[in-house]
Amino acid sequence: MIKENLRQIQSTIPNHVTLVAVSKTKPVSDLQEAYDEGQRIFGENHALEMRDKHEVLPNDIQWHFIGHLQTNKIKYIIPFVSLIHSIDSENLLEAVNKEAKKHDRVVDCLLQFHIANEETKFGLNLEEAEALLNSEAFMQMENVRICGVMGMATFTDDETEIHKEFHQLKTIFDALKQNHFAGQPQFKEISMGMSDDYPIAIEEGATLVRVGSKIFGARNYNV
Ligand SMILES: *Cc1c(COP(=O)(O)O)cnc(C)c1O
């Protein structure tokens, strides 16, 4: 089913949108099946799980970290991670920069924004992001590169609300682009949309969609 699901989703997303296959909790065999169908970008939200999968799967996979990243776990993913979607504080970015420096890498990162109504979702607001980008500390960070923004909409059936939240993220992206990243082509990614809302995210300007259960089936957190 994974291959059919992937084919179906790929056929509905436009060329300028990149599909991140969110494989958290899924066994390596599921990822291999997606790989065999041509999928090369996988998203994970636990550092050790991502490291372990990276060790056994083909090395042309691009690993995207999409979950809340604890500073003490950064070291497990820095040697190979290709994009961190979830930078939500200056401290975290600084810690990523420090670890990346040890590995002589420049690690691509997105700033995560809080766009949902729910209290529980991590993320910055525009003011906090501006403060980070204007900080002396950020100017000194030579081993991270900010490539765009990420956000998660409220878990709701209300499509108007979802449109509004994704539109808000696009507006934040445009403001940052104009005020901080003008003329910097690497600042181009808007990571938004999951299994239930990625078509809306694409309408609102997503460049990266993070789709899990629509590809791999429902997750079971009890195993
Ligand atoms: C799990 C997860 C996804 C994928 O969720 P699905 O609803 O299974 O598509 C996307 N983004 C983040 C940040 C996630 O944690």
Side-chain angles (χ1 to χ4, degrees), residues 131-201:
L132 190 167
L133 295 170
N134 287 324
S135 70
E136 197 56 42
F138 178 68
M139 311 289 171
Q140 309 296 324
M141 296 181 200
E142 293 182 340
N143 294 77
V144 288
R145 192 168 76 139
I146 304 297
C147 297
V149 301
M150 180 270 216
M152 288 167 87
T154 303
F155 186 70
T156 174
D157 290 334
D158 181 354
E159 294 202 353
T160 309
E161 176 64 25
I162 297 171
H163 270 282
K164 195 184 94 193
E165 292 174 3
F166 287 151
H167 183 77
Q168 191 192 335
L169 187 61
K170 173 69 163 73
T171 304
I172 289 170
F173 172 86
D174 290 341
L176 294 180
K177 179 87 194 165
Q178 185 175 341
N179 297 332
H180 296 270
F181 299 97
Q184 295 185 44
Q186 91 283 352
F187 190 84
K188 63 178 167 57
E189 303 295 1
I190 304 176
S191 168
M192 58 185 185
M194 310 181 7
S195 288
D196 291 330
D197 57 19
Y198 74 88
I200 299 177

Side-chain angles (χ1 to χ4, degrees), residues 6-143:
L6 257 180
R7 235 174 280 155
Q8 201 276 327
I9 293 166
Q10 285 287 16
S11 74
T12 63
I13 68 175
N15 282 334
H16 69 272
V17 177
T18 300
L19 175 64
V20 178
V22 175
S23 47
K24 62 192 188 195
T25 79
K26 296 296 176 181
V28 162
S29 55
D30 284 6
L31 283 77
Q32 183 68 50
E33 193 173 338
Y35 180 91
D36 293 340
E37 186 57 30
Q39 184 64 31
R40 290 296 179 271
I41 302 178
F42 292 88
E44 292 281 342
N45 69 345
H46 283 109
L48 288 168
E49 181 179 347
M50 186 161 102
R51 180 198 63 181
D52 291 347
K53 286 172 172 172
H54 165 260
E55 277 172 8
V56 296
L57 282 158
N59 57 22
D60 62 340
I61 288 176
Q62 294 166 38
W63 294 95
H64 286 202
F65 193 84
I66 63 168
H68 184 62
L69 184 55
Q70 294 168 276
T71 32
N72 61 341
K73 302 281 171 58
I74 294 172
K75 59 178 180 286
Y76 299 121
I77 65 168
I78 287 301
F80 66 91
V81 69
S82 99
L83 182 64
I84 298 174
H85 290 229
S86 44
I87 298 296
D88 61 2
S89 73
E90 186 180 307
N91 278 348
L92 178 60
L93 191 61
E94 193 151 17
V96 168
N97 182 71
K98 192 172 164 200
E99 193 66 27
K101 197 182 180 78
K102 288 186 198 162
H103 292 269
D104 202 20
R105 291 197 66 196
V106 175
V107 171
D108 286 347
C109 296
L110 306 180
L111 298 177
Q112 181 172 356
F113 285 87
H114 185 279
I115 55 172
N117 278 330
E118 296 142 308
E119 281 294 317
T120 52
K121 297 202 168 135
F122 294 101
L124 302 159
N125 60 39
L126 183 56
E127 223 179 348
E128 292 164 336
E130 297 267 0
L132 190 167
L133 295 170
N134 287 324
S135 70
E136 197 56 42
F138 178 68
M139 311 289 171
Q140 309 296 324
M141 296 181 200
E142 293 182 340
N143 294 77

